[in-house]
Amino acid sequence: MNKKVIAGIAVLVVLIAGGMLYLVYRETGGFRYRSSCVMNMSVESGYSDSKSFSFGMMKGQKVFRLNYDGHEGGRLEYSGKLDAGKLTVYYDNDGTKKELFTLEAGGAVETSDVKLTEKGSVYIIVETDGKCEDGKLEFKIR
């Protein structure tokens, strides 16, 4: 075989292997949820088991991933406030997206009543209904 044929086969093998890796990653939850939003004046901080997020303006979907180590009695605690707009927060601990709470203009929420069931990733999905302003959200695994 000449060098061009060998190079062509090598490129084809690399493309097929890359495609297979992408499919495995996607099927194992690597792309389960994606952030797609416009924000300004946003600050995000935290660790693997907690996140704090505040923003001046947000429109769209923001996703956080927390890690639950599987300890007995694990719970998701959360709090939030919003000055303008409306947003809904969901969570996924077992492959199912469930509503956590909704905030409307001038509203606040605080609770610690969500029991976690599956060790591993806990996704927090924040979805706005239009433009939201001056919000702060906090999530902690206890």
Side-chain angles (χ1 to χ4, degrees), residues 72-141:
E72 180 91 18
R75 295 206 168 283
L76 176 63
E77 294 182 354
Y78 56 87
S79 64
K81 72 172 194 67
L82 183 66
D83 286 350
K86 180 180 177 183
L87 62 79
T88 303
V89 178
Y90 303 88
Y91 78 103
D92 178 350
N93 174 233
D94 60 3
T96 305
K97 182 177 169 181
K98 298 177 249 352
E99 185 172 329
L100 197 56
F101 63 88
T102 298
L103 274 176
E104 294 191 30
V109 65
E110 190 164 340
T111 190
S112 61
D113 196 30
V114 177
K115 185 175 192 281
L116 299 174
T117 58
E118 299 292 324
K119 178 181 178 179
S121 297
V122 177
Y123 295 94
I124 307 294
I125 306 107
V126 180
E127 295 180 357
T128 67
D129 184 7
K131 184 169 84 170
C132 291
E133 296 179 355
D134 297 321
K136 181 173 184 176
L137 303 171
E138 294 184 11
F139 306 93
K140 294 178 189 169
I141 295 177

Side-chain angles (χ1 to χ4, degrees), residues 34-51:
R34 293 174 37 160
S35 294
S36 174
C37 60
V38 175
M39 293 183 289
N40 70 16
M41 299 187 306
S42 66
V43 176
E44 181 181 334
S45 62
Y47 299 97
S48 65
D49 63 351
S50 66
K51 291 289 181 204

